[in-house]
Amino acid sequence: MPSASPADSRPQAAAGATATIAVLLVAAFVVILNETVLNVALPHIMSDMHVSATTVQWVTTSFMLTMAVVIPTTGFLLQRFSTRTVFALAMGSFSLGTLMAALTPSFGVLIAARVVQAFGSAIMLPLLMTTILMLVPKERRGVVMGNVSIVISVAPALGPTLSGVILAHFPWRTIFWFVLPISLLALVIGLVRLKDVSERGTLKLDLLSVALSVVGFGSLVQGLSAVGSAGSAGTGEGSWLSSTAGGVTVLTLGVVLVALFVWRQLALQKRDEPFLDMRTFRYRDFTVSVAVLALGMMTLFGGVIVLPLYLQTGRGLDTLETGLILLPGGLVMGLLGPLVGRLFDAWGPRPLAAPGAAVLVLVMLGFSRLQTDTPVWWIVTLQIAMSVGLAFIFTPAFTAGLNPLPPHLYSHGSATLSTLQQVAGGAGTALLVGVLQAGTVVTTAADGSTVTDSIPGVHAAFVTAAAIAVVVLVLTFFMRRGEPTELSHAEADAAA
């Protein structure tokens, strides 16, 4: 592994930096959009391919599992291969998977296509963040990371609305035909314009780390997802894996294997050959920011999981109406990104993240008072306020967390951050959906029919989200700007 280069020799934002980052932003937007664009199409796929609800969920689950498995490997890939090679691998895989999905003759091929897509998607965001750290000087990183927040926020928000519009007029495969030309264009432009900006080393592939990563992180996310799914579907239904007992068993296996993965990395660090370098956690600002981001992601799922369930089960709205209600908040979060980034460059993280977290607490408490007759305009207002709060948390946390890392840890820091986001998303889903189900009241009417009241469960889920947001608020007071450092491996090991 290469040692840290002197600060004055680090690549700075220059003539080609803007074009390079712009290409990566467009590519990242396309792959992140793809994460949510298919959710609304699941009923159409069930009907067309004659599969059950339990089976069709693998369209989403296979994508999420692949992301969880591949992201930890990106630290190795970004240090072992050139920027152009990694980009070609990411967008080439994504484009191939998109073409396979558009032409899919069967459900099995569709699942394979989603796995190929997810492989490329998992690489893009760590590649984007690592490139920004290599090209952009510290004093401008806030505003550039603000642009990244546009990608992270707007793309998932646009997904359900875009697919709802397409499905109203065209078959579900049209979604992939819409995405394919954009991904191919990004691939071609990237191959022409991208330059190699990474610090390449001579890391060797540790097969034990790969195996522990694949099975461990895959089991962790699948276990969290299964526990959440069991909570939303009730007990006694579906396969063993979709039951609470099955989910807990897989989750426990994941926790054990991830612990072994961490132990393996600590052992490899003694030889300077870690697959995913744990020395990133030696930097206080990185650790605090990762905690803020992970808990913020868990809270975010109060808005993107529980709120749609409330709108569709408690209010009887369809998927397109739900998507339109959620759209303004995603757009506001994305549009605020550059502004928050400029404010970060001027003020640092704490004056932004702390008020943002306070707003988040108030919004979750507001959501906890939703009723079946709550005006839609008030729901939209709360959702926009939630997005504003998260915008003031995420951009500062991204930047303050990655800023203090030396160049040789850029790729590992980006990979670690992205991995924990996936795990936090799964944990947020499992926790809040489980609380929602536990709080749902089922009564038997005089005629023997059952009446389900999900509103108490919605209240309990959002109170839980508010409690998590309180922890985020406390952590924001420990955030600092995160000054870039050039610590050596030995100094990083000695840092507390």
Side-chain angles (χ1 to χ4, degrees), residues 212-247:
L212 291 171
S213 171
V214 168
V215 184
F217 286 104
S219 299
L220 192 62
V221 173
Q222 174 60 27
L224 289 167
S225 176
V227 170
S229 298
S232 62
T235 57
E237 299 180 6
S239 65
W240 174 83
L241 182 58
S242 64
S243 69
T244 302

Side-chain angles (χ1 to χ4, degrees), residues 257-472:
L257 292 178
V258 168
L260 290 174
F261 173 81
V262 172
W263 172 81
R264 177 63 176 170
Q265 303 321 296
L266 295 176
L268 290 174
Q269 282 173 189
K270 296 177 181 179
R271 306 202 304 262
D272 242 359
E273 297 177 348
F275 182 72
L276 186 64
D277 205 318
M278 296 291 108
R279 281 173 290 208
T280 52
F281 290 102
R282 301 282 188 177
Y283 298 85
R284 172 193 178 278
D285 296 323
F286 177 83
T287 303
V288 172
S289 294
V290 164
V292 168
L293 282 168
L295 292 173
M297 285 294 294
M298 292 181 67
T299 309
L300 171 62
F301 274 78
V304 300
I305 297 294
V306 178
L307 186 57
L309 288 173
Y310 156 77
L311 292 172
Q312 293 176 51
T313 61
R315 302 295 293 267
L317 301 181
D318 61 30
T319 52
L320 180 57
E321 291 171 324
T322 300
L324 290 173
I325 289 174
L326 300 178
L327 180 61
L331 295 177
V332 167
M333 190 191 298
L335 293 173
L336 277 176
L339 172 62
V340 175
R342 285 193 289 270
L343 293 175
F344 173 89
D345 290 334
W347 299 347
R350 198 177 304 161
L352 303 174
V359 169
L360 194 60
V361 173
L362 295 176
V363 168
M364 291 302 154
L365 291 176
F367 277 142
S368 72
R369 300 178 65 85
L370 292 175
Q371 302 294 334
T372 55
D373 59 351
T374 301
V376 171
W377 68 265
W378 178 241
I379 298 172
V380 173
T381 300
L382 285 174
Q383 211 265 339
I384 291 174
M386 180 190 76
S387 300
V388 171
L390 289 170
F392 276 80
I393 295 171
F394 284 165
T395 297
F398 268 116
T399 314
L402 294 173
N403 257 355
L405 300 182
H408 68 272
L409 290 179
Y410 284 165
S411 58
H412 293 282
S414 299
T416 301
L417 189 150
S418 298
T419 300
L420 292 178
Q421 278 187 291
Q422 289 290 315
V423 173
T429 301
L431 174 63
L432 296 180
V433 172
V435 172
L436 169 66
Q437 178 64 26
T440 297
V441 178
V442 180
T443 57
T444 303
D447 60 359
S449 61
T450 58
V451 178
T452 302
D453 182 8
S454 63
I455 297 300
V458 171
H459 292 170
F462 280 119
V463 168
T464 304
I468 298 172
V470 169
V471 179
V472 175

Side-chain angles (χ1 to χ4, degrees), residues 31 35 39 41-42 107 164 169 174 204 215 227 246 277 314 496:
V31 300
E35 289 190 42
N39 291 351
L42 295 183
F107 187 75
H169 301 92
T174 308
K204 297 179 181 179
V215 184
V227 170
D277 205 318

Side-chain angles (χ1 to χ4, degrees), residues 3-13 132-139 141 199 403-408 410 483-488 491:
S3 60
S5 59
D8 56 5
S9 67
R10 187 185 308 164
Q12 301 293 313
I132 289 173
L133 292 172
M134 296 299 297
L135 290 178
V136 180
K138 180 199 66 113
E139 59 271 14
R141 283 181 187 167
E199 278 193 10
N403 257 355
L405 300 182
H408 68 272
Y410 284 165
E483 294 299 326
T485 182
E486 297 295 334
L487 292 182
S488 66
E491 291 170 328

